[in-house]
Amino acid sequence: MEDDITRLARQDINVLQPYQSARTIGGQGHIFLNANESPLLNCISVNNLILNRYPECQPEQLITNYSAYSGINKKNILVCRGADEGIELLMRVFCTPGQDIVITCPPTYTMYAKLAEIYGIENIKIPMIQNKKLNFSKIVKHIKRTKLIYLCRPNNPTGYVINVLDIVKVLEITKSKAIVVIDEAYIEFCIEKNLVNLLHQYNHLVILRTLSKAFGLAGIRCGFILAGLKIIDLLKKIIAPYPLSTPSIYIASRSLDEQNIFTMKERVYQLNQNRNFLVHHLKKNSIVKYIFSSEANYILVKFINSSKIFNMLWKQGIILRNQDHEIQLSGCIRISIGTQEECINLITALKRISLH
Ligand SMILES: *Cc1c(COP(=O)(O)O)cnc(C)c1O
């Protein structure tokens, strides 16, 4: 009997025989002449890592460490080339272009819509009500052709954390109908709000994670997909044979050591302090109209005459992210939380602009 997840996946992916790499075929030999690798080392070396051989597709040590960190079983974890690749792999498994649709709820991370566009998958945008509430009636209306719903929590760029009861409601109305993807790229900044426990109850829930934000490792391109076994198995069919480089795997594994997790948490604490400090000072500035309350390492600020402010700061070498053109965000700028010194410089620059 076909289960729900199999039915939701693209039929051609269900029957796909995945590519068999030399690594997946394996073997216990001592002479490996099966992957057209070089038997000779390049003279470039990093920490004595073995770089002439292809890496593991799903590195055992890295998954073990992420399992310990997240509290999720190893079999429910897939390592990928950043959370962005996770967003993309899900579209490729579940959506047939020209037939299936994905739902996004702007204002939100725009890569969901962009990747759908690149793959020729229709994206129905169902804006959040007052940037906080999901529009359930609209979601229900489109659920029939929907394969994926992307929700970002905390949301980028607003910083808002969708109420857990609303998430449960989405999971209930999508049961057997669509996959719900919760993007937890920033969850370390409010870790107590993570939703991994819901994975036990809902086999159509997927959680995306990354080492790019709180872990401070955007440069190594490492993300994780957390989901039920059925979804993980489907994703494994289509993921590249060697998605992560050997140096990335090594650094990612180490970043999940007990000591490094401790220092990550200290950095998160510091950045949250910096955020509160920045908000406190911006509130006193008359050119600030509104500050969205954020639980992540950025804040969204509505300014009086935002494009002028954005350009003036730009010329001074302070580069922010303009959100003026995004749905429901006219006059808004997203500010990443920097060091305390960077926050002070920004506060001072904005004060000077306000006195103009
Ligand atoms: C930064 C970001 C990502 C991308 O993460 P990578 O792991 O660097 O690919 C995904 N989702 C959201 C919401 C982000 O802000």
Side-chain angles (χ1 to χ4, degrees):
M1 203 192 76
E2 264 200 350
D3 64 275
D4 297 344
I5 303 299
T6 308
R7 211 162 30 72
L8 287 174
R10 267 170 52 187
Q11 287 318 302
D12 46 354
I13 300 299
N14 273 321
V15 299
L16 175 79
Q17 289 295 328
Y19 172 72
Q20 295 286 310
S21 72
R23 274 282 165 285
T24 42
I25 295 166
Q28 293 292 317
H30 59 284
I31 298 176
F32 282 96
L33 304 175
N34 60 344
N36 297 352
E37 297 152 335
S38 169
L40 310 169
L41 287 169
N42 191 294
C43 56
I44 299 165
S45 88
V46 185
N47 264 47
N48 292 321
L49 293 174
I50 298 164
L51 298 180
N52 61 321
R53 300 291 176 183
Y54 279 112
E56 292 170 271
C57 177
Q58 290 298 303
E60 176 66 22
Q61 186 63 55
L62 176 52
I63 293 196
T64 302
N65 290 3
Y66 202 78
S67 169
Y69 166 67
S70 62
I72 289 299
N73 270 329
K74 290 202 279 187
K75 65 177 197 303
N76 299 112
I77 300 173
L78 189 83
V79 185
C80 53
R81 200 191 62 243
D84 278 351
E85 191 190 26
I87 297 165
E88 189 171 338
L89 290 170
L90 288 158
M91 287 185 192
R92 284 162 52 196
V93 161
F94 289 101
C95 299
T96 303
Q99 177 183 316
D100 301 320
I101 63 177
V102 303
I103 289 179
T104 57
C105 301
T108 192
Y109 188 46
T110 48
M111 273 299 273
Y112 314 134
K114 196 48 71 185
L115 284 165
E117 193 182 337
I118 289 167
Y119 282 107
I121 300 162
E122 188 183 346
N123 169 218
I124 304 264
K125 292 182 175 160
I126 303 179
M128 299 251 230
I129 301 163
Q130 287 161 356
N131 292 335
K132 286 191 171 175
K133 295 294 269 181
L134 297 171
N135 190 332
F136 288 104
S137 57
K138 284 239 171 87
I139 292 175
V140 169
K141 204 175 122 198
H142 290 285
I143 202 73
K144 220 170 155 199
R145 278 175 59 214
T146 300
K147 286 295 180 69
L148 294 165
I149 301 183
Y150 287 94
L151 298 172
C152 187
R153 189 176 183 274
N155 189 27
N156 178 3
T158 59
Y160 183 72
V161 178
I162 301 170
N163 188 309
V164 64
L165 294 175
D166 284 359
I167 298 291
V168 170
K169 199 167 161 186
V170 174
L171 286 164
E172 288 295 332
I173 63 178
T174 52
K175 251 186 193 167
S176 310
K177 296 195 176 86
I179 306 293
V180 177
V181 185
I182 309 282
D183 187 340
E184 290 193 342
Y186 299 96
I187 199 65
E188 278 81 12
F189 295 97
C190 50
I191 192 66
E192 69 288 350
K193 302 210 168 164
N194 81 83
L195 296 176
V196 289
N197 280 332
L198 291 177
L199 286 170
H200 306 295
Q201 289 164 60
Y202 298 102
N203 72 343
H204 63 302
L205 168 63
V206 177
I207 293 178
L208 300 177
R209 293 283 187 88
T210 179
L211 299 184
S212 294
K213 307 289 160 57
F215 281 87
L217 290 173
I220 70 166
R221 312 304 303 126
C222 179
F224 301 89
I225 302 174
L226 314 179
L229 193 55
K230 191 72 220 177
I231 294 179
I232 297 290
D233 282 348
L234 282 161
L235 293 165
K236 275 186 182 164
K237 283 186 154 196
I238 66 153
I239 196 167
Y242 315 110
L244 263 73
S245 71
T246 300
S248 291
I249 294 166
Y250 169 76
I251 296 163
S253 301
R254 285 204 45 196
S255 78
L256 293 160
D257 288 352
E258 210 175 316
Q259 177 61 39
N260 284 314
I261 287 171
F262 181 78
T263 53
M264 177 275 288
K265 288 177 181 169
E266 285 187 326
R267 285 194 306 272
V268 163
Y269 179 80
Q270 182 62 53
L271 288 172
N272 283 344
Q273 297 278 89
N274 293 0
R275 181 187 66 220
N276 297 340
F277 172 83
L278 181 63
V279 168
H280 174 79
H281 284 275
L282 292 189
K283 274 185 177 161
K284 296 192 279 193
N285 192 319
S286 60
I287 57 174
V288 171
K289 260 195 197 162
Y290 182 74
I291 305 173
F292 289 70
S293 71
S294 168
E295 302 204 46
N297 66 331
Y298 50 85
I299 53 171
L300 186 69
V301 183
K302 194 174 171 88
F303 286 97
I304 292 166
N305 205 345
S306 69
S307 27
K308 186 184 127 203
I309 291 161
F310 180 83
N311 290 327
M312 284 177 84
L313 290 171
W314 179 281
K315 282 184 196 135
Q316 293 173 41
I318 300 176
I319 314 299
L320 307 181
R321 184 79 167 214
N322 199 353
Q323 301 286 328
D324 188 48
H325 48 281
E326 300 294 338
I327 295 173
Q328 301 179 4
L329 297 185
S330 71
C332 292
I333 297 176
R334 191 191 67 192
I335 305 171
S336 303
I337 306 303
T339 62
Q340 183 151 27
E341 196 191 347
E342 288 169 334
C343 290
I344 290 170
N345 285 340
L346 175 65
I347 290 161
T348 312
L350 284 170
K351 201 179 246 167
R352 238 184 281 122
I353 290 173
S354 75
L355 297 175
H356 247 49

